[in-house]
Amino acid sequence: MSENTAPQDPSTPVDAPSAETAAPDLATQLADITAKNAELADLYLRAQADVQNARRRADDEVAKARKFALESFADSLLPVLDSLEAGLALPNATIEQIREGSEATLRQLKSALERNKVIEIAPPAGTKFDPHHHQAISVVPAEQEANTVVTVLQKGYSIAERVLRPALVTVTAPK
């Protein structure tokens, strides 16, 4: 060893910054992390507010949809109501006039139902019995295949492929 060189402590790294230079670096890092944390907290609060606003708007839209769901259907039934009232307002109508008015009103009603996707279920004779769309009221002996519709006692109706009322039918008995 030379005389001018002081022995180095083996636990101290050669390129380690002094305490004076390390403190400003840590302070800068802490400030950066604190700023980033504040920015992320702000973004989180904004996102949370956006979600709450979207949820509130969706709830409002659902409430309005429920409130006014029947508006279109009711609007399409008003001409039917007008026709019935006009028919009843005629004091001296003949049987033919009453029948003609009733048939016209029935056409209006069927049209209003079809516009609103209310579809008639009236299976023709010979149709295979479908328990999802038909309700068997009675079973009669016949020459047709078992569980076949013989007659429709009352039409059924569906809306958007969901049965409102099944058709009441008579079906053939098993042989």
Side-chain angles (χ1 to χ4, degrees):
M1 279 200 173
S2 72
E3 294 177 22
N4 293 345
T5 320
Q8 280 193 343
D9 182 7
S11 63
T12 306
V14 177
D15 294 332
S18 65
E20 298 86 33
T21 59
D25 287 342
L26 291 176
T28 304
Q29 287 178 349
L30 180 61
D32 289 346
I33 290 172
T34 303
K36 186 67 174 177
N37 185 30
E39 179 185 341
L40 291 174
D42 183 56
L43 287 173
Y44 171 76
L45 290 175
R46 288 177 188 271
Q48 196 172 29
D50 286 345
V51 167
Q52 288 174 350
N53 287 337
R55 184 176 291 133
R56 183 184 43 77
R57 280 191 301 273
D59 289 345
D60 289 347
E61 288 178 18
V62 167
K64 285 180 185 176
R66 285 185 181 143
K67 185 176 180 181
F68 299 111
L70 293 176
E71 183 176 10
S72 172
F73 185 66
D75 186 49
S76 66
L77 289 179
L78 291 178
V80 176
L81 177 66
D82 294 339
S83 294
L84 287 171
E85 288 175 343
L88 292 173
L90 296 173
N92 299 323
T94 65
I95 297 292
E96 293 81 24
Q97 289 173 325
I98 292 172
R99 180 164 185 82
E100 186 178 313
S102 296
E103 288 172 352
T105 303
L106 180 60
R107 284 191 301 273
Q108 281 181 321
L109 180 59
K110 284 183 176 184
S111 175
L113 290 173
E114 286 175 5
R115 276 195 308 275
N116 287 281
K117 310 293 187 260
V118 178
I119 307 299
E120 187 177 272
I121 302 172
T127 304
K128 186 75 174 161
F129 176 75
D130 180 357
H132 300 292
H133 294 100
H134 312 141
Q135 181 176 348
I137 296 299
S138 63
V139 179
V140 295
E143 293 302 316
Q144 297 170 318
E145 183 182 336
N147 291 327
T148 302
V149 174
V150 176
T151 58
V152 175
L153 304 171
Q154 184 181 55
K155 295 176 186 174
Y157 292 91
S158 66
I159 185 167
E161 298 184 22
R162 182 176 180 182
V163 175
L164 293 174
R165 179 179 79 188
L168 302 181
V169 297
T170 301
V171 295
T172 58
K175 295 180 182 182

